[in-house]
C-alpha cells in the first residue's frame, strides 16, 4: 500500500495530466464510520467530515484571505463583508482562509454565516490554531483589530490546546468540517512570543504537530501545516514533522522574495509540501495602500520600487495588483495565493487579475532592471 506522501504525489501527477493549467495536490479523506471520530472519543469533533474536493486547491489557483473580515485596520460593516464574500464566490473563489485571531473570532463567524447554505463539497476551508479565545467585555480594540471585540486570547500549542481550538472554531464557523488547519504565528517576528518562540516551537513539535497528524488520520481534518510570517518555523515543521502544506505569509511578494527562493522553495520541493502564499499584496501595499505587512512603517526603497514596477506594468498593458498576484502564484511549489479583500469591488479585482494575460516582456524588463530576482519563476 502506498504511504500517504506517495498518495499525494501520485494524485498530483494524475491531476496535472487531466486538468490543463491546474497544479494541485490531493487532499486525503479519512475513511471511518459516519458520525465516529476513531481514537478521539470526543463527540465535539466530527467523524469523517465531508472534506471538500479531491483536489486542493480549486482550479483558479487562488483563494480569499479572511483578515479584513476581522476588521483589520478599520471596521468592516457586516453588509460589506457579506457582499465581498458573495462577489468572491460568484467569481469562482472556492478556497477561504480564516483564523480565530482575525478580529478575535469575528472573521470565523462572518465566514461561517456566509458558507451556511453552501454545499460542503464545493469549497475548501482553512483556519488556524495556536490561540484560544476568552470572553472579555473589557476588550474593545486589540492591535490591528478594530470594533467592539469583547474577547481576549492566550497562546496554546499543546495537543489539548489545538483540539480545543478546533472545537471552538467549528462552533464559531457553524460547519461540520475543516479541510486544512494551520499552526498560527509561531514565529520569531511575533512580538508576543519574543525570544521564547523556540520554546513554543518545541511545545508544538511535541504537542500540536503530532496531534494534528492524528486528527488528520482520524479524518477530523483534511490536513495541516504552518501559517507563519517567517521561514524558520516552516523549515522546522518540514524537517521534524509531516505537514501537508505551508501557508507562508509576508515572505514571497514582488518586493521581497529572495530568501524564500533560496531557503524555503528547495525544501518544499524536496519534501513535496506545497505552499500557500499569504499577504501576496503586502497587506495592501501592492494594491496602492500605505500599509506594508500590517504596518505603516514602509521599508526604505519600497515605495520607489513599487512605483517603478507600477509604471512598467502600465507600459505593458497591465497593473501592479495583477503583476503582484500572478507573480506569487507562478512557482511550481505554490498551490494557491490568497489575497484579502474588504469590498466586493476588491474581490472582483483580485479575480480579474488572476485571469489576465501579462506579456512575457514585462517580466523580462523587471529582471533586466533588477526589480525581481533573475531566478524568480514568472507566469507563462
Amino acid at each position: 500500500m502506498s504511504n500517504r506522501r506517495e498518495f499525494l504525489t501520485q494524485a498530483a501527477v494524475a491531476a496535472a495530466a487531466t486538468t490543463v493549467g491546474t497544479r494541485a495536490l490531493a487532499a486525503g479523506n479519512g475513511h471511518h464510520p459516519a458520525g465516529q471520530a476513531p481514537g478521539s472519543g470526543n463527540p465535539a469533533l466530527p467523524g469523517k467530515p465531508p472534506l471538500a474536493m479531491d483536489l486542493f486547491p480549486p482550479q483558479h489557483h487562488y483563494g480569499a484571505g479572511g483578515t479584513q473580515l476581522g476588521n483589520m485596520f478599520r471596521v468592516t460593516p457586516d453588509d460589506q463583508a457579506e457582499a465581498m464574500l458573495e462577489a468572491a464566490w460568484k467569481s469562482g473563489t472556492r478556497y477561504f482562509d480564516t483564523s480565530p485571531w482575525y478580529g478575535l473570532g469575528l472573521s470565523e463567524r462572518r465566514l461561517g454565516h456566509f458558507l451556511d447554505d453552501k454545499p460542503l463539497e464545493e469549497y475548501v476551508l482553512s483556519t488556524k490554531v495556536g490561540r484560544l479565545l476568552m470572553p472579555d467585555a473589557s476588550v474593545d480594540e486589540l492591535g490591528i483589530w478594530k470594533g467592539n471585540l469583547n474577547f481576549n486570547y492566550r497562546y496554546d500549542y499543546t495537543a489539548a490546546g489545538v483540539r480545543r481550538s478546533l472545537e471552538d472554531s467549528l462552533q464559531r464557523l457553524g460547519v461540520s468540517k475543516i479541510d486544512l488547519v494551520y499552526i498560527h504565528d509561531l514565529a520569531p517576528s511575533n512580538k508576543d512570543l519574543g525570544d521564547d518562540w523556540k520554546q513554543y516551537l518545541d511545545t508544538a513539535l511535541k504537542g500540536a504537530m503530532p496531534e494534528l497528524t492524528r486528527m488528520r488520520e482520524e479524518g477530523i481534518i483534511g490536513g495541516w501545516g504552518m501559517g507563519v510570517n517567517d521561514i524558520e518555523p516552516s523549515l522546522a515543521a518540514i524537517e521534524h514533522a509531516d505537514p501537508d502544506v505551508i501557508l507562508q505569509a509576508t515572505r514571497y511578494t514582488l518586493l521581497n522574495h529572495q530568501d524564500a527562493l533560496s531557503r524555503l522553495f528547495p525544501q518544499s520541493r524536496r519534501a513535496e509540501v506545497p505552499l500557500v502564499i499569504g499577504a501576496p499584496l503586502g497587506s495592501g501595499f501592492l494594491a496602492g495602500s500605505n500599509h506594508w505587512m500590517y504596518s505603516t512603517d514602509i521599508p526604505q526603497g519600497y515605495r520607489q520600487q513599487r512605483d517603478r514596477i507600477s509604471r512598467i506594468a502600465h507600459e505593458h498593458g497591465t497593473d501592479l495588483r495583477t503583476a503582484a498576484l500572478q507573480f506569487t502564484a507562478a512557482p511550481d511549489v505554490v498551490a494557491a495565493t490568497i489575497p484579502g479583500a474588504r469590498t466586493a469591488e476588491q474581490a472582483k479585482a483580485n479575480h480579474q487579475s488572476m485571469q489576465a494575460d501579462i506579456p512575457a516582456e514585462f517580466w523580462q524588463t523587471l529582471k533586466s532592471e533588477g526589480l525581481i530576482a533573475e531566478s524568480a519563476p514568472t507566469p507563462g
Side-chain angles (χ1 to χ4, degrees):
M1 178 180 295
S2 299
N3 64 32
R4 186 171 178 282
R5 188 65 65 198
E6 288 172 342
F7 169 74
L8 289 170
T9 304
Q10 292 164 2
V13 172
T18 57
T19 308
V20 177
T22 301
R23 292 188 291 270
L25 295 177
N29 288 338
H31 298 287
H32 308 295
Q36 178 182 352
S40 71
N42 189 345
L45 295 174
K48 195 186 176 184
L51 298 174
M53 303 182 181
D54 292 329
L55 301 178
F56 171 77
Q59 65 182 15
H60 292 294
H61 204 45
Y62 75 102
T67 53
Q68 293 176 77
L69 295 174
N71 290 357
M72 185 174 72
F73 304 138
R74 64 180 187 273
V75 170
T76 304
D78 287 339
D79 57 349
Q80 188 178 71
E82 185 80 6
M84 184 279 288
L85 289 168
E86 186 64 36
W89 184 274
K90 287 183 177 178
S91 294
T93 302
R94 292 297 182 271
Y95 174 31
F96 297 90
D97 176 69
T98 184
S99 170
W101 178 232
Y102 301 160
L104 284 296
L106 178 61
S107 177
E108 285 190 323
R109 296 196 302 272
R110 283 173 161 170
L111 180 57
H113 178 266
F114 174 76
L115 294 175
D116 181 60
D117 63 347
K118 305 296 186 292
L120 294 171
E121 69 279 3
E122 288 191 13
Y123 62 84
V124 173
L125 172 65
S126 62
T127 193
K128 303 179 180 73
V129 295
R131 293 179 179 91
L132 294 175
L133 304 187
M134 306 167 291
D136 187 342
S138 69
V139 177
D140 183 13
E141 298 180 350
L142 189 63
I144 63 173
W145 312 114
K146 307 305 180 181
N148 298 316
L149 302 177
N150 295 320
F151 279 89
N152 215 319
Y153 69 97
R154 63 179 175 86
Y155 288 95
D156 194 331
Y157 294 104
T158 66
V162 299
R163 288 234 175 203
R164 165 66 186 278
S165 181
L166 191 56
E167 292 174 17
D168 291 349
S169 287
L170 284 163
Q171 294 289 338
R172 283 188 293 268
L173 286 160
V175 299
S176 60
K177 64 102 180 196
I178 293 175
D179 299 290
L180 295 169
V181 177
Y182 298 115
I183 299 173
H184 201 194
D185 281 348
L186 206 177
S189 63
N190 183 348
K191 295 180 180 179
D192 270 359
L193 305 184
D195 293 337
D196 294 332
W197 81 272
K198 288 187 177 179
Q199 297 178 26
Y200 284 96
L201 176 62
D202 185 63
T203 297
L205 286 167
K206 296 173 181 176
M209 295 185 197
E211 188 69 3
L212 289 170
T213 297
R214 282 190 288 269
M215 296 171 79
R216 180 187 69 199
E217 301 308 326
E218 290 169 6
I220 295 169
I221 62 175
W224 71 272
M226 304 298 287
V228 289
N229 291 338
D230 297 322
I231 291 174
E232 289 79 7
S234 297
L235 296 176
I238 290 172
E239 180 179 357
H240 298 292
D242 186 30
D244 301 279
V245 62
I246 298 292
L247 197 173
Q248 190 66 58
T250 79
R251 290 298 182 264
Y252 196 74
T253 75
L254 265 178
L255 301 185
N256 64 320
H257 48 266
Q258 186 60 63
D259 195 23
L261 286 170
S262 300
R263 291 199 295 151
L264 180 60
F265 284 21
Q267 294 305 314
S268 175
R269 290 189 185 95
R270 177 191 60 79
E272 298 172 354
V273 175
L275 305 176
V276 171
I277 302 301
L281 296 174
S283 71
F285 186 73
L286 289 169
S289 84
N290 291 318
H291 284 98
W292 168 256
M293 300 307 179
Y294 319 113
S295 171
T296 54
D297 295 328
I298 312 301
Q300 186 175 2
Y302 273 29
R303 291 186 188 276
Q304 294 84 349
Q305 187 177 352
R306 177 187 67 175
D307 293 346
R308 179 59 182 145
I309 293 174
S310 181
R311 287 194 295 271
I312 295 172
H314 284 292
E315 290 169 3
H316 288 83
T318 187
D319 61 87
L320 183 67
R321 177 204 300 268
T322 297
L325 290 182
Q326 291 201 23
F327 177 82
T328 60
D332 60 351
V333 297
V334 171
T337 188
I338 50 171
R342 191 183 302 275
T343 66
E345 290 72 23
Q346 290 173 350
K348 293 174 185 176
N350 289 342
H351 171 76
Q352 290 166 359
S353 287
M354 292 301 295
Q355 307 305 309
D357 291 325
I358 301 177
E361 292 77 14
F362 166 73
W363 303 110
Q364 294 166 1
T365 301
L366 295 190
K367 290 187 176 184
S368 67
E369 295 197 12
L371 292 167
I372 63 173
E374 184 65 34
S375 61
T378 54

